[in-house]
Amino acid sequence: MVSTFDRLHGRKTRFFFFELGDGNRPIENFSSSALVQQEPDASSFPSGGIRNTFEARGYTAWDPTSPAFIMESTSGKTLCIPTIFVSYTGETLDYKAPLLKALNELDQAAVPVCQYFDKNVTKVHATLGIEQEYFLIDIAMFNARPDIETTGRTVFGHIPAKGQQLEDHYFGSIPARAYAFMVEFEIEAFKLGIPLKTRHNEVAPSQFECAPVFEEINLAVDHNQLLMDVMDKVARRHNFKVLLHEKPYAGINGSGKHNNWSLTTNTGKNLLSPGNSPKTNLQFLTFFVNIIRAVYEHGDLMRASIASASNDHRLGANEAPPAIMSIFLGSQLSEVLDEIEKTVAKDKLSPEEKTQIKLNIGRIPEILLDNTDRNRTSPFAFTGNKFEFRAVGSSANSSSAMLVLNTIVANQLKEFAKEVDAMIAKDVKKDEAIMKVLRKYIVESKAIRFEGNGYSDEWVKEAKKRGLSNFTTTPPALDAYISKKSKELFKRNNIFTERELEARHDILLETYTKKIQIESRIVGTLSLNHIIPTAIKYQSDLINNVAGLKSLGLLADSYKTQLDIIKEISEHVLVIKEKTDSMVNERRLANKVDDAREKAIAYCDKVKPHFDEIRYHVDKLELLIDDTYWPLPKYREMLTVR
Ligand code: ADP
Ligand code: MG
């Protein structure tokens, strides 16, 4: 038996279960300590300057809360062990360690709050159900598109005659070939313990979605990471490629990874599901309002947590959640909060007022039963018994968003308990103290609540008036990670030190720069080596044709169209060449910038705008040039799954 052993985060520490024994005879030997901690050479792991290559050491440590599993492939089996990854000096380098820390803080913060209502609660854990959207593309098309191959998206391509305007894909039946792929990856997923539950078509042609039953967050994140890998492997067997990019095709809906999130107690209570007594409903309201305030206080950090070069294409693209953070509650819960704001206003509540408030709160479950309103335009929506963070990108590791969400909620709950306890110490009754603090939060965090259309221009204006940020691109969105407020938040809650945050910020900027740099190179290569030569070749054909017609002595009318096209091609080719040169020049300038943030901004503001300008002319050429000459598969072909 030859087995290999891999770690989910400390990638590719691989060895055999053999050692040399007496007389150099191989013996099978495998000690458990090897599983618990390892020291991989991880010099190429991005560390944001935390480690130099000469001190490349880092440590991986087993995360026993996420089960080990065996990955099977045709060539062997690999034992995989979910691990955290820290540097030699103890700084976290991965996403798992800070997520685990955040979940621990959340537990610590939520239990005392639960105990205001139920002394039996001794543990609170967060739950997560991740909806995963993706596109399928035939492998042959994929291989013929260097842009998708290197960047995950098409940098050129004219919108097809029939895109998604009929919206007939969503409710249509799943194409047989896609179905076969789904069934197989579902089986492979089950073997690894991933509890997939649903599959369906999405809005765009050749776009699909799957979702598992929710799990404890750490597990749900590991399972989603694994799922993406499994999907990719299985797709190859079906001659498909899975596209997890947030926006593979311009003008066609993008993909997200909706993070359905809630909190559960050891007593089995979903804290975001109203109960059937005023007491449990007050508990529901407590968590509900605290979450709203947490998002209000740290909306910018939430935005930063989902920022990436690829998600920039989707956020605010009039089909995905906007880049402005807001919360959708539904009209009925909004009314409940408004009611509390009105009734709890006075310093001292009269007995009648108290009864009225209790009555109102007691009615919540009824209200929720017919609370069917949904808002697809909100980045963070309450959906009955959970919040749905919809703005997370389809290719993202959910840890990033989840460690932020759980940290801000933990921080908020601690603050809440402090305020309530201070009032109780001054002889205010517990329920009244809770109501008063909640009311204060409701008033303070009003600006983050938005029930309207998040895609509208009015919302952009309104949000500005409310003082909400609207970061449409990644580099400025990432600033929130290193603001004074965030640094204090992460430090206070033992998630990140300042040094770790700065390092992470640097890595994210660097990744952004590299992504745009790669896209820019592919735009340049395709323009100069594929598109322009093709255009010139076809143009030469036309010129020969015109020359031929002329030599026959035919009238100018007989080659007028050809001349027009010849001219048009020249015009487009000229602009493509000029813009490509200008883009390359901007890249050169950007590369001279030392500061990581300034460099990312240069790539964002100076290099990237060329992409669409060049694309416009390439897409025009696509419409002009003989189809048999065109070097790239077209949208119509790529978007059809047969
Ligand atoms: P909808 O389609 O209304 O969004 P679903 O029931 O299909 O809701 O759920 C979508 C995802 O939300 C699934 O992955 C599901 O497991 C998850 N989910 C449901 N309840 C919870 C919960 N309490 N905590 C976390 N995720 C949940
Ligand atoms: Mg959903």
Side-chain angles (χ1 to χ4, degrees):
M1 180 198 74
V2 175
S3 295
T4 55
F5 157 49
D6 190 352
R7 283 161 185 277
L8 206 54
H9 288 291
R11 284 267 172 217
K12 301 242 162 70
T13 303
R14 155 195 290 238
F15 54 77
F16 305 102
F17 295 166
F18 285 100
E19 274 178 16
L20 292 182
D22 290 345
N24 273 352
R25 289 211 351 246
I27 54 162
E28 204 173 331
N29 184 17
F30 185 63
S31 95
S32 58
S33 64
L35 291 176
V36 178
Q37 194 187 304
Q38 274 286 303
E39 191 190 311
D41 172 24
S43 44
S44 60
F45 200 88
S47 73
I50 280 180
R51 285 166 317 127
N52 296 315
T53 352
F54 64 80
E55 47 172 40
R57 264 187 300 178
Y59 290 108
T60 61
W62 188 352
D63 164 22
T65 57
S66 183
F69 54 90
I70 294 173
M71 275 293 248
E72 277 184 62
S73 71
T74 39
S75 42
K77 292 179 180 165
T78 307
L79 171 61
C80 299
I81 300 199
T83 57
I84 60 163
F85 190 38
V86 291
S87 76
Y88 180 57
T89 42
E91 275 104 0
T92 62
L93 297 171
D94 65 352
Y95 276 111
K96 191 189 246 303
L99 177 66
L100 291 174
K101 288 181 188 173
L103 295 174
N104 182 46
E105 288 302 312
L106 180 80
D107 177 29
Q108 305 270 321
V111 168
V113 175
C114 286
Q115 290 201 347
Y116 289 139
F117 309 96
D118 180 358
K119 293 281 181 220
N120 295 318
V121 174
T122 54
K123 173 122 192 103
V124 171
H125 67 259
T127 51
L128 176 64
I130 301 176
E131 299 166 58
Q132 178 71 55
E133 294 178 337
Y134 61 95
F135 280 85
L136 285 178
I137 179 173
D138 189 279
I139 192 81
M141 306 278 177
F142 174 81
N143 288 336
R145 291 284 315 211
D147 49 355
I148 309 186
E149 214 175 359
T150 42
T151 70
R153 75 179 186 100
T154 53
V155 295
F156 302 143
H158 199 276
I159 191 95
K162 177 177 183 286
Q164 61 185 57
Q165 49 294 53
L166 298 178
E167 312 220 313
D168 50 355
H169 184 66
Y170 191 83
F171 288 110
S173 60
I174 298 174
R177 204 177 141 203
Y179 186 82
F181 155 72
M182 287 176 180
V183 171
E184 194 174 331
F185 89 69
E186 285 159 9
I187 292 169
E188 291 301 323
F190 289 147
K191 284 193 204 161
L192 296 167
I194 304 169
L196 283 182
K197 190 176 82 169
T198 56
R199 61 167 97 98
H200 61 82
N201 288 349
E202 256 308 319
V203 175
S206 79
Q207 191 189 25
F208 305 92
E209 181 188 298
C210 62
V213 177
F214 66 92
E215 300 174 275
E216 188 277 323
I217 285 198
N218 177 35
L219 207 53
V221 171
D222 277 359
H223 279 163
N224 177 255
Q225 290 291 104
L226 200 52
L227 179 70
M228 294 193 284
D229 203 41
V230 170
M231 286 167 78
D232 186 56
K233 284 195 177 114
V234 174
R236 279 177 221 179
R237 293 183 220 150
H238 293 259
N239 293 321
F240 276 135
K241 188 78 191 164
V242 175
L243 302 182
L244 292 167
H245 192 284
E246 282 76 3
K247 192 85 178 172
Y249 305 102
I252 306 276
N253 267 20
S255 300
K257 180 181 291 203
H258 300 170
N259 279 217
N260 295 272
W261 173 87
S262 189
L263 300 169
T264 303
T265 65
N266 59 303
T267 56
K269 173 99 188 73
N270 176 352
L271 292 167
L272 291 179
S273 177
N276 43 23
S277 69
K279 192 163 127 188
T280 46
N281 282 339
L282 186 55
Q283 175 171 289
F284 160 77
L285 273 180
T286 297
F287 281 90
F288 190 66
V289 171
N290 271 287
I291 292 163
I292 294 170
R293 184 158 189 274
V295 176
Y296 168 71
E297 279 290 328
H298 298 285
D300 287 357
L301 202 50
M302 297 265 286
R303 169 66 183 93
S305 77
I306 52 160
S308 69
S310 50
N311 210 17
D312 278 358
H313 289 284
R314 175 174 164 261
L315 298 182
N318 277 350
E319 30 101 345
I324 307 163
M325 281 301 133
S326 70
I327 308 187
F328 171 82
L329 304 180
S331 56
Q332 286 143 319
L333 276 169
S334 296
E335 274 165 32
V336 172
L337 298 198
D338 292 344
E339 185 87 14
I340 292 173
E341 186 184 336
K342 259 187 268 150
T343 42
V344 192
K346 290 190 209 121
D347 285 345
K348 191 110 184 90
L349 293 176
S350 69
E352 295 79 43
E353 281 168 329
K354 277 188 201 163
T355 318
Q356 186 56 41
I357 291 167
K358 275 201 176 150
L359 260 175
N360 286 342
I361 293 174
R363 282 204 325 257
I364 292 174
E366 278 176 64
I367 291 172
L368 280 193
L369 272 185
D370 55 62
N371 179 13
T372 46
D373 50 350
R374 282 283 173 111
N375 188 328
R376 298 191 158 267
T377 67
S378 176
F380 194 72
F382 185 68
T383 52
N385 59 0
K386 60 189 190 284
F387 277 99
E388 189 168 333
F389 194 5
R390 309 171 54 90
V392 184
S394 51
S395 68
N397 176 337
S398 289
S399 296
S400 169
M402 286 299 113
L403 80 85
V404 165
L405 179 60
N406 289 287
T407 300
I408 65 177
V409 172
N411 182 69
Q412 176 58 50
L413 290 171
K414 286 180 202 170
E415 213 172 288
F416 172 75
K418 219 183 281 165
E419 292 197 56
V420 169
D421 289 348
M423 287 175 88
I424 293 174
K426 284 188 196 148
D427 281 343
V428 181
K429 282 255 174 14
K430 187 175 74 186
D431 281 5
E432 202 171 327
I434 291 173
M435 289 303 298
K436 287 223 179 290
V437 178
L438 290 184
R439 181 191 180 270
K440 180 166 85 90
Y441 290 170
I442 290 170
V443 174
E444 283 169 358
S445 52
K446 252 185 178 164
I448 200 79
R449 283 159 54 190
F450 181 62
E451 303 290 307
N453 178 5
Y455 299 167
S456 65
D457 290 338
E458 291 81 70
W459 172 226
V460 175
K461 282 183 212 136
E462 164 73 16
K464 194 166 177 193
K465 243 191 264 160
R466 293 188 188 186
L468 300 175
S469 319
N470 181 10
F471 297 109
T472 53
T473 55
T474 291
L478 292 176
D479 287 348
Y481 272 124
I482 49 159
S483 69
K484 192 159 170 276
K485 194 172 172 185
S486 300
K487 282 179 176 171
E488 281 168 7
L489 168 87
F490 283 121
K491 200 167 153 202
R492 198 180 321 121
N493 292 282
N494 315 306
I495 314 292
F496 290 125
T497 62
E498 207 171 311
R499 185 165 137 94
E500 286 170 332
L501 275 176
E502 304 257 355
R504 245 158 232 267
H505 181 239
D506 261 10
I507 292 169
L508 289 164
L509 287 168
E510 220 178 275
T511 307
Y512 177 85
T513 295
K514 284 180 186 158
K515 289 252 158 107
I516 303 296
Q517 188 177 62
I518 292 168
E519 288 198 0
S520 166
R521 287 188 181 142
I522 207 77
V523 167
T525 308
L526 285 179
S527 296
L528 300 183
N529 304 340
H530 295 238
I531 306 299
I532 292 182
T534 305
I536 292 175
K537 220 186 285 169
Y538 178 55
Q539 195 186 40
S540 302
D541 280 1
L542 294 175
I543 292 168
N544 285 339
N545 177 271
V546 172
L549 291 171
K550 271 191 179 166
S551 74
L552 292 176
L554 292 176
L555 291 177
D557 255 9
S558 62
Y559 47 81
K560 180 178 181 309
T561 304
Q562 289 87 320
L563 285 179
D564 285 348
I565 299 175
I566 288 167
K567 219 173 110 228
E568 270 185 76
I569 289 176
S570 287
E571 284 162 6
H572 290 306
V573 164
L574 182 69
V575 183
I576 292 170
K577 178 68 169 61
E578 275 174 5
K579 299 265 181 205
T580 305
D581 289 346
S582 148
M583 176 180 75
V584 172
N585 191 43
E586 288 297 346
R587 218 161 66 207
R588 258 189 224 124
L589 294 175
N591 287 343
K592 287 196 187 127
V593 180
D594 273 334
D595 179 72
R597 183 175 179 277
E598 292 305 315
K599 189 181 209 149
I601 288 175
Y603 264 94
C604 180
D605 294 349
K606 302 280 190 218
V607 177
K608 197 179 64 169
H610 287 85
F611 299 175
D612 280 345
E613 291 172 9
I614 295 170
R615 178 181 196 135
Y616 174 82
H617 294 277
V618 171
D619 290 357
K620 287 283 179 217
L621 284 177
E622 186 188 315
L623 296 182
L624 277 179
I625 288 173
D626 183 346
D627 187 55
T628 58
Y629 278 43
W630 196 248
L632 303 168
K634 296 184 175 174
Y635 269 32
R636 167 176 43 80
E637 301 163 293
M638 292 186 286
L639 285 164
T640 315
V641 170
R642 281 200 198 89

